Amino acid sequence: MGQAWGFSRHGGPEVQEFFDRPDPEPGRGEVLIRVDVAGVNPLDHLLRSGLVDGLDGGRPFPRVLGMEAAGTVLARGEDVNGLEVGDAVFGFALTGGGTYAEMTVLSAPNTARIPEGLSATVAATLPVAGTTAIDVLDQLGLPTGATVLVNGVGGGVGLAVAQLSVGHGLRVIGTGSTAKRKHAEAVGVRFIDYTAEDVAAAARELAPDGFDGIVDMVGGASLRRVAPLARHPRNVIAVGDMSVSDLGGRFVERRVDRENLERSARLALDGVLAPVITAVHPLSDAPAALAAVENGHTSGKVVIKVT
Ligand SMILES: NC(=O)c1ccc[n+]([C@@H]2O[C@H](COP(=O)([O-])OP(=O)(O)OC[C@H]3O[C@@H](n4cnc5c(N)ncnc54)[C@H](OP(=O)(O)O)[C@@H]3O)[C@@H](O)[C@H]2O)c1
């Protein structure tokens, strides 16, 4: 039996609760892990509210929050390759186990070993933000020297996209509110404060010939304001707003497999990807951790340290 934090039905934060859950049995293709650190993502509250579905593995309520974690393998189900009991691992809880919990099951094809030298805290932030950033850069395929606009640069995915872009030799301009300036500039981003400047005008001044790529984390009206700044609409990639296709852009194509996780770990070991972890909460403080992300203005990554 272990403590978990989740929700008893779809709704707002009021449906969240702590409960004790029997240790999950790892099914076919799953590993049971003792969770060390869980990453917190906007997807967690979207799943709770019922706005997104299909990632719960068909599990009954109460469901446990959280999609990514790092921990230690305690047991393997059938058909698990490349992971052994005792391994330190990180990955996705794609079969509905949730990760805001002392124990959970991860889907083995979407889980990788943590390489020597990488902390569990950093590893726990890589599955969602790290691999999304890799996918964005792969999809854009921009040459060194190209100019990219990162709209929403201060959050988990935005800073990872900025770091990989800088690592790839791109010129990076990023948008965010005032508190994000220090994080963005530390990465080498030319920052536009959307609370103080007209973003489209400032961006146009910095890239008069338009942007070779635009990566959008914000969506809605903000996406619509920046999308026309791209030299080719196809090179507008959104990670959260699927209506980007109405503008001629593309939604990020995700690869959540072990190979991509291993790639993210290598980039983190090399220092190209350096997750900015701005808050570490104990499991008992999970409500505050998710509330901080749910308010829509997170800096970097928020994690829950379970053990
Ligand atoms: N498709 C996928 O697989 C995938 C994977 C990961 C994430 N996502 C989605 O991508 C989005 C971003 O994820 P995330 O983890 O980076 O979220 P996050 O950590 O919450 O960051 C979002 C950032 O956007 C900034 N922001 C909000 N309004 C803005 C505006 N008008 N202009 C510029 N910046 C603004 C926020 O702070 P400030 O306003 O204070 O600057 C915050 O730093 C979410 O919708 C998430 O669900 C999708």
Side-chain angles (χ1 to χ4, degrees), residues 210-258:
F211 287 86
D212 300 301
I214 294 182
V215 185
D216 176 79
M217 263 59 63
V218 184
S222 175
L223 165 62
R224 278 162 173 72
R225 269 195 294 277
V226 297
L229 302 171
R231 291 161 67 117
H232 304 289
R234 204 179 139 62
N235 282 352
V236 180
I237 309 276
V239 303
D241 187 343
M242 296 183 102
S243 76
V244 67
S245 57
D246 300 344
L247 306 170
R250 292 173 288 167
F251 195 67
V252 61
E253 281 166 25
R254 295 288 284 118
R255 275 191 48 213
V256 298
D257 56 17
R258 185 177 296 166

Side-chain angles (χ1 to χ4, degrees), residues 1 6 17 37 58 89 95 105 114 122-123 127 149 177 195 212-214 223 240 268 288:
M1 198 70 93
E17 62 184 18
V37 182
V89 297
T95 53
V105 284
I114 302 176
V122 168
L149 179 69
S177 70
T195 68
D212 300 301
I214 294 182
L223 165 62

Side-chain angles (χ1 to χ4, degrees), residues 175-183 191-196 299:
T175 70
S177 70
T178 313
K180 308 305 186 284
R181 177 180 292 279
K182 61 177 185 293
H183 299 300
F191 185 72
I192 300 174
D193 181 342
Y194 73 81
T195 68
S299 292

Side-chain angles (χ1 to χ4, degrees), residues 197-215:
E197 298 173 73
D198 177 326
V199 168
R204 210 172 279 119
E205 206 167 301
L206 290 166
D209 297 331
F211 287 86
D212 300 301
I214 294 182
V215 185

Side-chain angles (χ1 to χ4, degrees), residues 32-180:
L32 173 70
I33 67 159
R34 188 185 67 239
V35 178
D36 190 352
V37 182
V40 180
N41 291 289
L43 181 59
D44 304 347
H45 65 79
L46 295 173
L47 283 164
R48 184 210 62 220
S49 59
L51 291 173
V52 175
D53 219 342
L55 292 169
D56 54 17
R59 293 189 189 235
F61 291 114
R63 292 181 189 157
V64 178
L65 281 150
M67 293 298 297
E68 64 182 353
T72 305
V73 177
L74 298 177
R76 298 156 24 119
E78 286 174 50
D79 291 339
V80 168
N81 298 314
L83 302 175
E84 304 296 336
V85 170
D87 281 350
V89 297
F90 69 116
F92 291 95
L94 289 185
T95 53
T99 58
Y100 297 6
E102 290 176 280
M103 314 265 194
T104 195
V105 284
L106 299 183
S107 131
N110 314 97
T111 297
R113 286 201 179 104
I114 302 176
E116 190 110 358
L118 197 67
S119 74
T121 305
V122 168
T125 68
L126 296 175
V128 176
T131 68
T132 301
I134 289 172
D135 291 340
V136 163
L137 269 286
D138 282 354
Q139 212 169 330
L140 275 174
L142 295 175
T144 302
T147 300
V148 69
L149 179 69
V150 181
N151 194 39
V153 74
V157 181
L159 282 171
V161 168
Q163 290 168 350
L164 291 187
S165 300
V166 169
H168 189 60
L170 306 183
R171 177 175 168 241
V172 187
I173 290 152
T175 70
S177 70
T178 313
K180 308 305 186 284

